[in-house]
Amino acid sequence: MKAHVTVTLKSSVLDPQGQTIHNALGKIGIEGVQAVRQGKYFLLNLSPALSQEAARAQVERIAREVLTNPVIEEFSYKLEE
Amino acid sequence: MKAHVTVTLKSSVLDPQGQTIHNALGKIGIEGVQAVRQGKYFLLNLSPALSQEAARAQVERIAREVLTNPVIEEFSYKLEE
C-alpha cells in the first residue's frame, strides 16, 4: 500500500518561495497564474500486512510527528492500494 | 481553477532525504514503512478565464520549464475546479 502525503504551509503563513516562482512565471511570459504555493510531498511505501485502518493511523502519526511542523504547516494524505 | 503539481525524483535516482526520513522512523519505533521518497508539491491558482484545455497546456509548460529538472525529476498534476 502507498500513502501520498502532502505538507503545505498554512494559508495564513507567507510563502516567499511560492511568491518567487510566481514572479518568475511572469518574467518568462507565462500568464494566467494568480498564485503559487509550494509544499512538500512524501511517498510512503507501507507494508502490505497493514490493514487499511492501521495504515491510516500509521500515516497520520508519521505526518504529525515527523513530516509536519504543526506551528506553520498542515498535511493531507491519500492511501492507494 | 487549481492545479496540484507533484515533482518527484525519477525512480532511478537515489533519494538520500527520503532515506534519512525512513531511518528516522525506525529510530522512533514506527514500523510498517518499507520506503520513503520525498518530492515537491506546488499549488497553482489559475485564472478562471482559462479553459480546461488551456489550463492543461499552461500547467504542463510551467511544470516542464520551471518546476522540474528533467534530468533527475518527473512531474504529475491534477486539475481541480
mmCIF file with all atom_site columns, all heavy atoms in Angstrom, chain A residues 55-73:
data_model
loop_
_atom_site.group_PDB
_atom_site.id
_atom_site.type_symbol
_atom_site.label_atom_id
_atom_site.label_alt_id
_atom_site.label_comp_id
_atom_site.label_asym_id
_atom_site.label_entity_id
_atom_site.label_seq_id
_atom_site.pdbx_PDB_ins_code
_atom_site.Cartn_x
_atom_site.Cartn_y
_atom_site.Cartn_z
_atom_site.occupancy
_atom_site.B_iso_or_equiv
_atom_site.pdbx_formal_charge
_atom_site.auth_seq_id
_atom_site.auth_comp_id
_atom_site.auth_asym_id
_atom_site.auth_atom_id
_atom_site.pdbx_PDB_model_num
ATOM 1   N N   . ALA A 1 55 ? -3.008 1.362  8.586  1.00 0.00 ? 55 ALA A N   1
ATOM 2   C CA  . ALA A 1 55 ? -2.215 2.202  7.691  1.00 0.00 ? 55 ALA A CA  1
ATOM 3   C C   . ALA A 1 55 ? -2.569 3.664  7.897  1.00 0.00 ? 55 ALA A C   1
ATOM 4   O O   . ALA A 1 55 ? -1.696 4.532  7.984  1.00 0.00 ? 55 ALA A O   1
ATOM 5   C CB  . ALA A 1 55 ? -2.465 1.794  6.240  1.00 0.00 ? 55 ALA A CB  1
ATOM 6   N N   . ARG A 1 56 ? -3.863 3.945  7.994  1.00 0.00 ? 56 ARG A N   1
ATOM 7   C CA  . ARG A 1 56 ? -4.327 5.295  8.225  1.00 0.00 ? 56 ARG A CA  1
ATOM 8   C C   . ARG A 1 56 ? -3.731 5.880  9.524  1.00 0.00 ? 56 ARG A C   1
ATOM 9   O O   . ARG A 1 56 ? -3.211 7.001  9.537  1.00 0.00 ? 56 ARG A O   1
ATOM 10  C CB  . ARG A 1 56 ? -5.862 5.282  8.354  1.00 0.00 ? 56 ARG A CB  1
ATOM 11  C CG  . ARG A 1 56 ? -6.568 6.210  7.449  1.00 0.00 ? 56 ARG A CG  1
ATOM 12  C CD  . ARG A 1 56 ? -8.057 5.895  7.334  1.00 0.00 ? 56 ARG A CD  1
ATOM 13  N NE  . ARG A 1 56 ? -8.365 5.572  5.960  1.00 0.00 ? 56 ARG A NE  1
ATOM 14  C CZ  . ARG A 1 56 ? -8.307 6.461  4.977  1.00 0.00 ? 56 ARG A CZ  1
ATOM 15  N NH1 . ARG A 1 56 ? -7.989 7.708  5.220  1.00 0.00 ? 56 ARG A NH1 1
ATOM 16  N NH2 . ARG A 1 56 ? -8.572 6.122  3.730  1.00 0.00 ? 56 ARG A NH2 1
ATOM 17  N N   . ALA A 1 57 ? -3.801 5.086  10.586 1.00 0.00 ? 57 ALA A N   1
ATOM 18  C CA  . ALA A 1 57 ? -3.275 5.539  11.876 1.00 0.00 ? 57 ALA A CA  1
ATOM 19  C C   . ALA A 1 57 ? -1.770 5.790  11.782 1.00 0.00 ? 57 ALA A C   1
ATOM 20  O O   . ALA A 1 57 ? -1.252 6.795  12.275 1.00 0.00 ? 57 ALA A O   1
ATOM 21  C CB  . ALA A 1 57 ? -3.579 4.490  12.947 1.00 0.00 ? 57 ALA A CB  1
ATOM 22  N N   . GLN A 1 58 ? -1.079 4.873  11.117 1.00 0.00 ? 58 GLN A N   1
ATOM 23  C CA  . GLN A 1 58 ? 0.379  4.977  10.982 1.00 0.00 ? 58 GLN A CA  1
ATOM 24  C C   . GLN A 1 58 ? 0.763  6.226  10.186 1.00 0.00 ? 58 GLN A C   1
ATOM 25  O O   . GLN A 1 58 ? 1.646  6.987  10.590 1.00 0.00 ? 58 GLN A O   1
ATOM 26  C CB  . GLN A 1 58 ? 0.883  3.705  10.274 1.00 0.00 ? 58 GLN A CB  1
ATOM 27  C CG  . GLN A 1 58 ? 2.342  3.429  10.424 1.00 0.00 ? 58 GLN A CG  1
ATOM 28  C CD  . GLN A 1 58 ? 2.700  3.047  11.846 1.00 0.00 ? 58 GLN A CD  1
ATOM 29  O OE1 . GLN A 1 58 ? 2.421  3.783  12.786 1.00 0.00 ? 58 GLN A OE1 1
ATOM 30  N NE2 . GLN A 1 58 ? 3.307  1.899  12.007 1.00 0.00 ? 58 GLN A NE2 1
ATOM 31  N N   . VAL A 1 59 ? 0.098  6.439  9.073  1.00 0.00 ? 59 VAL A N   1
ATOM 32  C CA  . VAL A 1 59 ? 0.428  7.582  8.212  1.00 0.00 ? 59 VAL A CA  1
ATOM 33  C C   . VAL A 1 59 ? 0.137  8.886  8.939  1.00 0.00 ? 59 VAL A C   1
ATOM 34  O O   . VAL A 1 59 ? 0.925  9.837  8.897  1.00 0.00 ? 59 VAL A O   1
ATOM 35  C CB  . VAL A 1 59 ? -0.364 7.514  6.889  1.00 0.00 ? 59 VAL A CB  1
ATOM 36  C CG1 . VAL A 1 59 ? -0.221 8.814  6.106  1.00 0.00 ? 59 VAL A CG1 1
ATOM 37  C CG2 . VAL A 1 59 ? 0.111  6.341  6.057  1.00 0.00 ? 59 VAL A CG2 1
ATOM 38  N N   . GLU A 1 60 ? -0.975 8.933  9.669  1.00 0.00 ? 60 GLU A N   1
ATOM 39  C CA  . GLU A 1 60 ? -1.295 10.167 10.398 1.00 0.00 ? 60 GLU A CA  1
ATOM 40  C C   . GLU A 1 60 ? -0.256 10.448 11.476 1.00 0.00 ? 60 GLU A C   1
ATOM 41  O O   . GLU A 1 60 ? 0.135  11.595 11.692 1.00 0.00 ? 60 GLU A O   1
ATOM 42  C CB  . GLU A 1 60 ? -2.705 10.075 11.007 1.00 0.00 ? 60 GLU A CB  1
ATOM 43  C CG  . GLU A 1 60 ? -3.768 10.269 9.941  1.00 0.00 ? 60 GLU A CG  1
ATOM 44  C CD  . GLU A 1 60 ? -5.192 10.137 10.462 1.00 0.00 ? 60 GLU A CD  1
ATOM 45  O OE1 . GLU A 1 60 ? -5.412 10.308 11.666 1.00 0.00 ? 60 GLU A OE1 1
ATOM 46  O OE2 . GLU A 1 60 ? -6.082 9.842  9.639  1.00 0.00 ? 60 GLU A OE2 1
ATOM 47  N N   . ARG A 1 61 ? 0.197  9.371  12.131 1.00 0.00 ? 61 ARG A N   1
ATOM 48  C CA  . ARG A 1 61 ? 1.218  9.573  13.165 1.00 0.00 ? 61 ARG A CA  1
ATOM 49  C C   . ARG A 1 61 ? 2.516  10.093 12.542 1.00 0.00 ? 61 ARG A C   1
ATOM 50  O O   . ARG A 1 61 ? 3.130  11.035 13.053 1.00 0.00 ? 61 ARG A O   1
ATOM 51  C CB  . ARG A 1 61 ? 1.473  8.235  13.893 1.00 0.00 ? 61 ARG A CB  1
ATOM 52  C CG  . ARG A 1 61 ? 2.414  8.409  15.032 1.00 0.00 ? 61 ARG A CG  1
ATOM 53  C CD  . ARG A 1 61 ? 2.720  7.141  15.814 1.00 0.00 ? 61 ARG A CD  1
ATOM 54  N NE  . ARG A 1 61 ? 3.902  7.387  16.629 1.00 0.00 ? 61 ARG A NE  1
ATOM 55  C CZ  . ARG A 1 61 ? 4.722  6.455  17.058 1.00 0.00 ? 61 ARG A CZ  1
ATOM 56  N NH1 . ARG A 1 61 ? 4.480  5.186  16.804 1.00 0.00 ? 61 ARG A NH1 1
ATOM 57  N NH2 . ARG A 1 61 ? 5.789  6.771  17.759 1.00 0.00 ? 61 ARG A NH2 1
ATOM 58  N N   . ILE A 1 62 ? 2.931  9.476  11.428 1.00 0.00 ? 62 ILE A N   1
ATOM 59  C CA  . ILE A 1 62 ? 4.172  9.903  10.764 1.00 0.00 ? 62 ILE A CA  1
ATOM 60  C C   . ILE A 1 62 ? 4.051  11.352 10.297 1.00 0.00 ? 62 ILE A C   1
ATOM 61  O O   . ILE A 1 62 ? 4.953  12.167 10.502 1.00 0.00 ? 62 ILE A O   1
ATOM 62  C CB  . ILE A 1 62 ? 4.477  8.976  9.564  1.00 0.00 ? 62 ILE A CB  1
ATOM 63  C CG1 . ILE A 1 62 ? 4.785  7.571  10.053 1.00 0.00 ? 62 ILE A CG1 1
ATOM 64  C CG2 . ILE A 1 62 ? 5.593  9.533  8.717  1.00 0.00 ? 62 ILE A CG2 1
ATOM 65  C CD1 . ILE A 1 62 ? 4.845  6.531  8.944  1.00 0.00 ? 62 ILE A CD1 1
ATOM 66  N N   . ALA A 1 63 ? 2.925  11.673 9.678  1.00 0.00 ? 63 ALA A N   1
ATOM 67  C CA  . ALA A 1 63 ? 2.751  13.034 9.156  1.00 0.00 ? 63 ALA A CA  1
ATOM 68  C C   . ALA A 1 63 ? 2.788  14.041 10.303 1.00 0.00 ? 63 ALA A C   1
ATOM 69  O O   . ALA A 1 63 ? 3.417  15.090 10.195 1.00 0.00 ? 63 ALA A O   1
ATOM 70  C CB  . ALA A 1 63 ? 1.432  13.126 8.393  1.00 0.00 ? 63 ALA A CB  1
ATOM 71  N N   . ARG A 1 64 ? 2.123  13.687 11.401 1.00 0.00 ? 64 ARG A N   1
ATOM 72  C CA  . ARG A 1 64 ? 2.008  14.630 12.515 1.00 0.00 ? 64 ARG A CA  1
ATOM 73  C C   . ARG A 1 64 ? 3.332  14.785 13.256 1.00 0.00 ? 64 ARG A C   1
ATOM 74  O O   . ARG A 1 64 ? 3.749  15.890 13.582 1.00 0.00 ? 64 ARG A O   1
ATOM 75  C CB  . ARG A 1 64 ? 0.931  14.120 13.472 1.00 0.00 ? 64 ARG A CB  1
ATOM 76  C CG  . ARG A 1 64 ? 0.164  15.203 14.189 1.00 0.00 ? 64 ARG A CG  1
ATOM 77  C CD  . ARG A 1 64 ? -0.973 14.613 14.983 1.00 0.00 ? 64 ARG A CD  1
ATOM 78  N NE  . ARG A 1 64 ? -0.587 13.382 15.635 1.00 0.00 ? 64 ARG A NE  1
ATOM 79  C CZ  . ARG A 1 64 ? -1.223 12.207 15.473 1.00 0.00 ? 64 ARG A CZ  1
ATOM 80  N NH1 . ARG A 1 64 ? -2.285 12.116 14.708 1.00 0.00 ? 64 ARG A NH1 1
ATOM 81  N NH2 . ARG A 1 64 ? -0.812 11.121 16.092 1.00 0.00 ? 64 ARG A NH2 1
ATOM 82  N N   . GLU A 1 65 ? 4.015  13.631 13.495 1.00 0.00 ? 65 GLU A N   1
ATOM 83  C CA  . GLU A 1 65 ? 5.190  13.679 14.364 1.00 0.00 ? 65 GLU A CA  1
ATOM 84  C C   . GLU A 1 65 ? 6.497  13.944 13.631 1.00 0.00 ? 65 GLU A C   1
ATOM 85  O O   . GLU A 1 65 ? 7.457  14.421 14.227 1.00 0.00 ? 65 GLU A O   1
ATOM 86  C CB  . GLU A 1 65 ? 5.314  12.357 15.142 1.00 0.00 ? 65 GLU A CB  1
ATOM 87  C CG  . GLU A 1 65 ? 4.183  12.151 16.125 1.00 0.00 ? 65 GLU A CG  1
ATOM 88  C CD  . GLU A 1 65 ? 4.356  10.868 16.943 1.00 0.00 ? 65 GLU A CD  1
ATOM 89  O OE1 . GLU A 1 65 ? 5.452  10.281 16.943 1.00 0.00 ? 65 GLU A OE1 1
ATOM 90  O OE2 . GLU A 1 65 ? 3.370  10.452 17.568 1.00 0.00 ? 65 GLU A OE2 1
ATOM 91  N N   . VAL A 1 66 ? 6.542  13.588 12.344 1.00 0.00 ? 66 VAL A N   1
ATOM 92  C CA  . VAL A 1 66 ? 7.829  13.671 11.653 1.00 0.00 ? 66 VAL A CA  1
ATOM 93  C C   . VAL A 1 66 ? 7.812  14.649 10.477 1.00 0.00 ? 66 VAL A C   1
ATOM 94  O O   . VAL A 1 66 ? 8.735  15.432 10.297 1.00 0.00 ? 66 VAL A O   1
ATOM 95  C CB  . VAL A 1 66 ? 8.268  12.276 11.149 1.00 0.00 ? 66 VAL A CB  1
ATOM 96  C CG1 . VAL A 1 66 ? 9.636  12.340 10.484 1.00 0.00 ? 66 VAL A CG1 1
ATOM 97  C CG2 . VAL A 1 66 ? 8.264  11.274 12.287 1.00 0.00 ? 66 VAL A CG2 1
ATOM 98  N N   . LEU A 1 67 ? 6.769  14.611 9.688  1.00 0.00 ? 67 LEU A N   1
ATOM 99  C CA  . LEU A 1 67 ? 6.822  15.344 8.418  1.00 0.00 ? 67 LEU A CA  1
ATOM 100 C C   . LEU A 1 67 ? 6.335  16.781 8.508  1.00 0.00 ? 67 LEU A C   1
ATOM 101 O O   . LEU A 1 67 ? 6.676  17.605 7.665  1.00 0.00 ? 67 LEU A O   1
ATOM 102 C CB  . LEU A 1 67 ? 5.991  14.601 7.359  1.00 0.00 ? 67 LEU A CB  1
ATOM 103 C CG  . LEU A 1 67 ? 6.364  13.131 7.127  1.00 0.00 ? 67 LEU A CG  1
ATOM 104 C CD1 . LEU A 1 67 ? 5.462  12.520 6.079  1.00 0.00 ? 67 LEU A CD1 1
ATOM 105 C CD2 . LEU A 1 67 ? 7.816  12.991 6.710  1.00 0.00 ? 67 LEU A CD2 1
ATOM 106 N N   . THR A 1 68 ? 5.524  17.075 9.514  1.00 0.00 ? 68 THR A N   1
ATOM 107 C CA  . THR A 1 68 ? 4.885  18.392 9.567  1.00 0.00 ? 68 THR A CA  1
ATOM 108 C C   . THR A 1 68 ? 5.348  19.190 10.784 1.00 0.00 ? 68 THR A C   1
ATOM 109 O O   . THR A 1 68 ? 5.478  18.640 11.875 1.00 0.00 ? 68 THR A O   1
ATOM 110 C CB  . THR A 1 68 ? 3.350  18.204 9.655  1.00 0.00 ? 68 THR A CB  1
ATOM 111 O OG1 . THR A 1 68 ? 2.922  17.391 8.579  1.00 0.00 ? 68 THR A OG1 1
ATOM 112 C CG2 . THR A 1 68 ? 2.625  19.540 9.583  1.00 0.00 ? 68 THR A CG2 1
ATOM 113 N N   . ASN A 1 69 ? 5.586  20.463 10.596 1.00 0.00 ? 69 ASN A N   1
ATOM 114 C CA  . ASN A 1 69 ? 5.766  21.394 11.713 1.00 0.00 ? 69 ASN A CA  1
ATOM 115 C C   . ASN A 1 69 ? 4.398  22.016 11.992 1.00 0.00 ? 69 ASN A C   1
ATOM 116 O O   . ASN A 1 69 ? 3.947  22.894 11.238 1.00 0.00 ? 69 ASN A O   1
ATOM 117 C CB  . ASN A 1 69 ? 6.780  22.475 11.315 1.00 0.00 ? 69 ASN A CB  1
ATOM 118 C CG  . ASN A 1 69 ? 6.871  23.569 12.366 1.00 0.00 ? 69 ASN A CG  1
ATOM 119 O OD1 . ASN A 1 69 ? 6.110  23.586 13.328 1.00 0.00 ? 69 ASN A OD1 1
ATOM 120 N ND2 . ASN A 1 69 ? 7.810  24.480 12.176 1.00 0.00 ? 69 ASN A ND2 1
ATOM 121 N N   . PRO A 1 70 ? 3.733  21.592 13.067 1.00 0.00 ? 70 PRO A N   1
ATOM 122 C CA  . PRO A 1 70 ? 2.337  21.975 13.253 1.00 0.00 ? 70 PRO A CA  1
ATOM 123 C C   . PRO A 1 70 ? 2.122  23.470 13.496 1.00 0.00 ? 70 PRO A C   1
ATOM 124 O O   . PRO A 1 70 ? 0.997  23.952 13.404 1.00 0.00 ? 70 PRO A O   1
ATOM 125 C CB  . PRO A 1 70 ? 1.896  21.163 14.476 1.00 0.00 ? 70 PRO A CB  1
ATOM 126 C CG  . PRO A 1 70 ? 3.156  20.826 15.181 1.00 0.00 ? 70 PRO A CG  1
ATOM 127 C CD  . PRO A 1 70 ? 4.239  20.743 14.143 1.00 0.00 ? 70 PRO A CD  1
ATOM 128 N N   . VAL A 1 71 ? 3.198  24.181 13.798 1.00 0.00 ? 71 VAL A N   1
ATOM 129 C CA  . VAL A 1 71 ? 3.047  25.627 14.018 1.00 0.00 ? 71 VAL A CA  1
ATOM 130 C C   . VAL A 1 71 ? 2.707  26.333 12.709 1.00 0.00 ? 71 VAL A C   1
ATOM 131 O O   . VAL A 1 71 ? 1.873  27.242 12.671 1.00 0.00 ? 71 VAL A O   1
ATOM 132 C CB  . VAL A 1 71 ? 4.335  26.224 14.639 1.00 0.00 ? 71 VAL A CB  1
ATOM 133 C CG1 . VAL A 1 71 ? 4.184  27.724 14.828 1.00 0.00 ? 71 VAL A CG1 1
ATOM 134 C CG2 . VAL A 1 71 ? 4.662  25.546 15.948 1.00 0.00 ? 71 VAL A CG2 1
ATOM 135 N N   . ILE A 1 72 ? 3.355  25.919 11.636 1.00 0.00 ? 72 ILE A N   1
ATOM 136 C CA  . ILE A 1 72 ? 3.170  26.656 10.380 1.00 0.00 ? 72 ILE A CA  1
ATOM 137 C C   . ILE A 1 72 ? 2.662  25.785 9.235  1.00 0.00 ? 72 ILE A C   1
ATOM 138 O O   . ILE A 1 72 ? 2.334  26.294 8.170  1.00 0.00 ? 72 ILE A O   1
ATOM 139 C CB  . ILE A 1 72 ? 4.494  27.324 9.920  1.00 0.00 ? 72 ILE A CB  1
ATOM 140 C CG1 . ILE A 1 72 ? 5.632  26.278 9.829  1.00 0.00 ? 72 ILE A CG1 1
ATOM 141 C CG2 . ILE A 1 72 ? 4.892  28.445 10.861 1.00 0.00 ? 72 ILE A CG2 1
ATOM 142 C CD1 . ILE A 1 72 ? 6.848  26.795 9.093  1.00 0.00 ? 72 ILE A CD1 1
ATOM 143 N N   . GLU A 1 73 ? 2.594  24.461 9.442  1.00 0.00 ? 73 GLU A N   1
ATOM 144 C CA  . GLU A 1 73 ? 2.238  23.590 8.323  1.00 0.00 ? 73 GLU A CA  1
ATOM 145 C C   . GLU A 1 73 ? 1.018  22.724 8.632  1.00 0.00 ? 73 GLU A C   1
ATOM 146 O O   . GLU A 1 73 ? 0.683  22.489 9.789  1.00 0.00 ? 73 GLU A O   1
ATOM 147 C CB  . GLU A 1 73 ? 3.419  22.676 7.967  1.00 0.00 ? 73 GLU A CB  1
ATOM 148 C CG  . GLU A 1 73 ? 4.629  23.398 7.416  1.00 0.00 ? 73 GLU A CG  1
ATOM 149 C CD  . GLU A 1 73 ? 5.842  22.483 7.248  1.00 0.00 ? 73 GLU A CD  1
ATOM 150 O OE1 . GLU A 1 73 ? 5.969  21.503 8.014  1.00 0.00 ? 73 GLU A OE1 1
ATOM 151 O OE2 . GLU A 1 73 ? 6.658  22.758 6.372  1.00 0.00 ? 73 GLU A OE2 1
#
